[in-house]
Amino acid sequence: MNAFLYGVVLQWKLDIRSRSLLITCYIVPLLFFMVMGGIFTAIIPESRETLIPSMTVMGVSTGALIGLPPSLLEIYGSDIKKVFRANGVPLYLGMVSIFLSAFIHLSIMSVIIYLAAPVIFDASVPSNLPLYFSALAIFITVSLSVGCVLGLSLKNQAKLTMISQLIFLPSIMLSGIMFSADLLPGSLAAAGKLFPAAWGYKLLLNNGFNADSLLPLTAILTAAVLFCIFMLKKLKSE
């Protein structure tokens, strides 16, 4: 257990020095929050009611779908995994330590948005804080699990970047955070429900913590976990 905790803390410290993670978990989400928060609240004053959930969904999705996968590729797409084997380190430890480190970073970023939005944009604060942060933890977990699938399944950096973008962009555009999903054609609205962002956004809204949002996220998480287990076994046998 001590070795595992040491690995997680070490990965977190390494991630702090990572420019990629700094950009995707902090700089891009917070810049988007500052710019788009001002635009949204100026054009649509009612957006203050949902500003914190919408900006949080954007930030978490950026870190999980664009920031996390390259970190996994550095381990499982290179000779680092051989070092794991040579030293008797379980192959899953790399994924788990990166997952937990990213979870901490995305949680910090989300708290910054939560604290800054009411001060800067007079945004409404979620009425039930325990439920909100429980929903946030669930959404971060599910989003990171999808990022793990991408990082484990692709071994080429160029392909990984392209696929990550192909998943990230529709995930955000169809989630309802930019404009109401009710304005989308039926087919696009249905496609948006395949991504965690759409359900995470509903979960983070006031009175959104219910089975209608939890069940799809649970299904996505279960599928992602099973796929990651399969990929880790495949990597171990190679």
Side-chain angles (χ1 to χ4, degrees):
M1 178 58 72
N2 289 335
F4 173 75
L5 293 176
Y6 174 78
V8 173
V9 173
L10 177 61
Q11 184 62 50
W12 187 73
K13 291 180 178 179
L14 290 172
D15 286 342
I16 290 178
R17 300 179 182 180
S18 170
R19 291 183 180 179
S20 174
L21 202 72
L22 177 67
I23 292 172
T24 55
C25 286
Y26 293 102
I27 295 179
V28 170
L30 294 178
L31 278 178
F32 184 88
F33 161 66
M34 293 299 293
V35 174
M36 297 306 295
I39 294 174
F40 284 168
T41 53
I43 297 176
I44 311 173
E46 295 80 9
S47 64
R48 289 184 174 87
E49 299 293 328
T50 60
L51 187 66
I52 292 177
S54 61
M55 295 297 102
T56 300
V57 167
M58 172 65 186
V60 170
S61 298
T62 302
L65 300 179
I66 298 180
L68 175 69
S71 298
L72 287 176
L73 182 62
E74 289 179 5
I75 295 178
Y76 297 104
S78 67
D79 291 336
I80 296 179
K81 63 181 180 182
K82 295 180 181 179
V83 177
F84 276 54
R85 293 173 181 168
N87 291 276
V89 178
L91 203 57
Y92 65 81
L93 183 60
M95 183 188 73
V96 173
S97 61
I98 290 175
F99 181 101
L100 292 177
S101 175
F103 185 96
I104 294 172
H105 286 297
L106 292 177
S107 297
I108 293 172
M109 179 274 299
S110 300
V111 170
I112 292 173
I113 291 176
Y114 175 84
L115 295 175
V119 176
I120 300 174
F121 302 116
D122 194 27
S124 298
V125 176
S127 58
N128 192 318
L129 296 190
L131 280 184
Y132 176 79
F133 283 105
S134 296
L136 176 62
I138 292 170
F139 174 56
I140 293 176
T141 299
V142 177
S143 298
L144 289 174
S145 71
V146 175
C148 288
V149 169
L150 294 174
L152 292 176
S153 58
L154 298 169
K155 298 182 179 180
N156 180 279
Q157 181 62 55
K159 288 183 179 179
L160 177 60
T161 301
M162 180 181 67
I163 298 299
S164 296
Q165 291 285 353
L166 287 175
I167 293 178
F168 170 75
L169 290 175
S171 175
I172 294 302
M173 297 303 295
L174 305 179
S175 64
I177 69 169
M178 305 292 288
F179 46 81
S180 176
D182 294 335
L183 300 175
L184 294 170
S187 57
L188 291 179
K193 294 179 180 179
L194 297 174
F195 304 103
W199 300 109
Y201 179 53
K202 292 182 179 180
L203 196 69
L204 290 171
L205 293 174
N206 284 328
N207 302 317
F209 198 96
N210 52 54
D212 291 341
S213 299
L214 284 171
L215 290 178
L217 288 171
T218 302
I220 294 172
L221 177 62
T222 302
V225 169
L226 291 176
F227 185 85
C228 288
I229 293 173
F230 169 78
M231 287 303 302
L232 286 171
K233 288 182 177 180
K234 183 178 178 182
L235 290 169
K236 187 176 181 179
S237 63
E238 292 179 353

